[in-house]
């Protein structure tokens, strides 16, 4: 039985059937169930018939990828009617005893069960034949053949979904690498000129400037520092959203109070008309990233200074003992509505669009990511008395 050349576009369908590990076992089981010595899975289109998997104990010679003239097959009829064909004995079958297909291929017993994709699209057939008659049309045999055909159909869809998922994962991994490269470029290419601007402003500030000129220099420096802060926020946000979280270097810390006091001093200078009252009770050490915890406090303080009552002080309390750290930032002012409190730590969220200071809305999101990276928790409680953000982390006891 000569095979026709493999048609373009069928190779992927063959590969899909070949990737289903259960198909060889199904063919073996069908052969044992029916007694037929040739069983195969065929891809049938409008103008082609191609073997995708084959069990050939008749030495017919058809191999995977071989094709037949579709007009010489009964599978063409199955494709058009979408109904199975089962023949126990061609010689005793009124419909097929004079049919050209049994005469061409010399078989007496035959079956062809349609295969469908789950969306109803026709794929091909599970078919078999033998030169001698076999009892195939019993309910037990036909129902089992249909069950195997359905199993192949379902597996076709499962493999398609798996391939799509793997392709999407591959694309996501590539996108992740590109985003990482973008972050690196962003961090380097923007921070370098910003550092030059800040250094230039510092150098100019050391000269004899008129009051008007000094204001301009101070404005330049503040603007550059603000841009640097925005770059840091975007980089941290992107890394957090990529699933890696904000990177931290956990080390024994025994001088966190000094780091926190520096943050408070910097923000006091930037907000001279607002008061910050700090209370520290620091004993022992903690495992933490001092720089990231300073960033956490800075973001919480900025939030309190911007959204709190400027006539009332912002209170910072820090307790550290037995490897544990509790940090709270409280401000007075309008309470946060309960429906907004749950949204505060989401990126780009601004609870008060009319705030005195504009930004990307990433500060509290980054606070939550830093807390998560430390294995800690961040929470907010707001009422008419005060709004308090609390950070708590528990670690090993350090001497």
């Amino acid at each position: 039985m000569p095979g026709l050349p493999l048609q373009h576009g069928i190779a992927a369908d063959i590969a899909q059937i070949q990737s289903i590990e259960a198909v060889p076992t199904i063919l073996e089981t069908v052969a044992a169930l029916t007694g037929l010595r040739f069983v195969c899975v065929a891809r049938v289109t409008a103008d082609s018939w191609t073997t995708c998997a084959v069990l050939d104990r008749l030495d017919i010679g058809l191999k995977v990828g071989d094709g037949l003239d579709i007009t010489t097959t009964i599978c063409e009829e199955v494709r058009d009617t979408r109904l199975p064909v089962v023949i126990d004995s061609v010689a005793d079958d009124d419909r097929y005893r004079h049919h050209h297909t049994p005469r061409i291929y010399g078989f007496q017993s035959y079956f062809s069960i349609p295969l469908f994709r789950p969306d109803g699209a026709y794929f091909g057939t599970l078919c078999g034949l033998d030169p001698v008659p076999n009892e195939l049309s019993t309910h037990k045999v036909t129902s089992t053949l249909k069950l195997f055909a359905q199993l192949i159909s379902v597996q076709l869809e499962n493999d398609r979904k798996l391939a799509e998922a793997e392709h999407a994962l591959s694309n996501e991994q590539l996108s992740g690498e590109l985003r990482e490269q973008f972050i690196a470029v962003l961090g380097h290419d923007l921070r370098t000129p910003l550092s030059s601007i800040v250094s230039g402003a510092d150098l100019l500030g050391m000269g004899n400037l008129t009051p008007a000129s000094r204001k301009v220099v101070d404005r330049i420096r503040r603007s550059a520092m603000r841009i640097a802060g925005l770059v840091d926020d975007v980089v941290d946000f992107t890394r957090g959203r990529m699933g890696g979280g904000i990177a931290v270097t956990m080390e024994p810390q025994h001088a966190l109070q000094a780091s926190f006091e520096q943050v408070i001093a910097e923000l006091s200078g930037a907000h001279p008309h607002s008061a910050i009252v700090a209370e520290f009770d620091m004993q022992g050490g903690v495992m933490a990233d001092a720089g990231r915890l300073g960033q956490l406090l800075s973001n919480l303080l900025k939030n309190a200074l911007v959204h709190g009552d400027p006539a009332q002080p912002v209170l910072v309390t820090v307790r550290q003992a037995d490897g544990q750290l509790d940090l709270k930032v409280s401000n007075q002012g309008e309470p946060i509505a309960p429906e907004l409190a749950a949204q505060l730590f989401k990126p780009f969220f601004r609870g008060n669009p009319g705030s005195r200071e504009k930004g990307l809305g990433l500060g509290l999101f980054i606070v939550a990511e830093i807390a998560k990276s430390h294995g800690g928790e961040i929470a907010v409680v707001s009422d008419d008395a005060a709004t308090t953000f609390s950070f708590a982390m528990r670690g090993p006891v350090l001497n």
Side-chain angles (χ1 to χ4, degrees):
M1 184 183 296
L4 299 177
L6 180 65
Q7 297 188 35
H8 177 70
I10 304 297
D13 295 321
I14 294 175
Q16 192 175 11
I17 291 294
Q18 287 288 304
S19 70
I20 303 175
E21 295 181 359
V23 165
T25 302
I26 290 175
L27 297 185
E28 292 278 358
T29 305
V30 167
L33 172 71
T34 61
L36 304 188
R37 287 168 286 174
F38 179 89
V39 183
C40 76
V41 175
R43 175 72 170 102
V44 183
T45 68
D47 54 10
S48 69
W49 186 103
T50 310
T51 51
C52 297
V54 60
L55 185 155
D56 182 8
R57 295 183 178 139
L58 292 174
D59 294 326
I60 291 176
L62 274 179
K63 298 180 178 59
V64 172
D66 287 343
L68 298 176
D69 181 350
I70 185 66
T71 62
T72 67
T73 71
I74 294 177
C75 292
E76 181 180 36
E77 175 185 330
V78 174
R79 179 201 66 201
D80 295 340
T81 64
R82 301 169 72 89
L83 297 173
V85 171
V86 179
I87 306 172
D88 293 339
S89 172
V90 170
D92 299 325
D93 193 291
D94 293 338
R95 182 174 181 181
Y96 291 103
R97 70 161 58 101
H98 300 301
H99 197 282
H100 64 278
T101 297
R103 185 169 62 252
I104 293 173
Y105 298 115
F107 62 77
Q108 281 297 308
S109 52
Y110 172 89
F111 74 84
S112 180
I113 311 296
L115 301 175
F116 301 99
R117 299 189 188 276
D119 63 0
Y122 178 77
F123 179 86
T125 66
L126 171 64
C127 58
L129 57 83
D130 199 278
V132 301
N134 283 277
E135 191 174 5
L136 306 177
S137 59
T138 65
H139 175 73
K140 175 182 176 181
V141 173
T142 57
S143 61
T144 303
L145 291 175
K146 290 177 182 178
L147 181 62
F148 280 130
Q150 184 180 8
L151 179 62
I152 294 173
S153 296
V154 170
Q155 194 59 46
L156 279 171
E157 179 65 7
N158 290 341
D159 282 7
R160 181 191 66 80
K161 290 181 177 179
L162 177 61
E164 288 181 352
E166 290 175 344
H167 179 68
L169 178 60
S170 176
N171 287 341
E172 181 61 25
Q173 289 173 338
L174 177 59
S175 297
E177 292 174 2
L178 291 175
R179 286 196 295 266
E180 283 284 6
Q181 294 172 10
F182 169 76
I183 291 171
V185 171
L186 175 70
H188 178 271
D189 289 359
L190 285 181
R191 285 193 179 102
T192 299
L194 283 172
S195 296
S196 298
I197 294 172
V198 173
S199 297
D202 289 341
L203 184 61
L204 289 173
M206 295 169 61
N208 294 321
L209 301 176
T210 65
S213 297
R214 186 167 298 281
K215 286 183 179 179
V216 172
V217 172
D218 289 343
R219 190 180 304 120
I220 291 173
R221 190 181 189 285
R222 287 196 303 271
S223 297
M225 294 298 293
R226 176 163 172 73
I227 294 171
L230 292 175
V231 171
D232 290 340
D233 284 352
V234 171
V235 170
D236 287 340
F237 163 72
T238 306
R239 285 180 176 152
R241 293 293 278 185
M242 286 172 62
I246 288 181
V248 295
T249 302
M250 302 294 281
E251 297 176 337
Q253 304 292 341
H254 293 85
L256 281 179
Q257 181 171 338
S259 298
F260 291 154
E261 287 176 341
Q262 181 179 349
V263 170
I264 293 170
E266 290 175 354
L267 286 173
S268 294
H271 299 265
H273 302 295
S274 298
I276 302 175
V277 177
E279 297 178 0
F280 294 97
D281 182 5
M282 314 289 282
Q283 301 175 31
V286 293
M287 290 294 296
D289 185 320
R292 288 300 189 183
L293 289 185
Q295 184 181 7
L296 179 146
L297 175 59
S298 177
N299 286 358
L300 289 179
L301 268 177
K302 289 176 185 176
N303 181 75
L305 291 166
V306 169
H307 297 289
D309 182 351
Q312 301 297 326
V314 174
L315 178 62
V316 176
T317 58
V318 185
R319 301 286 183 267
Q320 178 182 306
D322 300 326
Q324 302 182 9
L325 178 68
D326 293 280
L327 183 153
K328 296 182 179 181
V329 177
S330 300
N331 65 268
Q332 299 182 42
E334 290 294 326
I336 301 172
E339 63 271 16
L340 296 181
Q343 310 294 320
L344 290 177
F345 300 105
K346 293 183 178 180
F348 305 115
F349 179 80
R350 297 186 187 90
N352 180 11
S355 169
R356 302 186 299 275
E357 185 170 323
K358 301 299 182 181
L360 295 175
L362 295 176
L364 293 180
F365 168 77
I366 292 171
V367 164
E369 290 296 309
I370 294 173
K372 186 188 305 181
S373 295
H374 278 78
E377 297 179 350
I378 190 74
V380 58
V381 175
S382 185
D383 55 31
D384 291 334
T387 294
T388 301
F389 286 83
S390 302
F391 165 69
M393 59 174 286
R394 306 290 181 259
V397 177
L398 301 180
N399 294 325

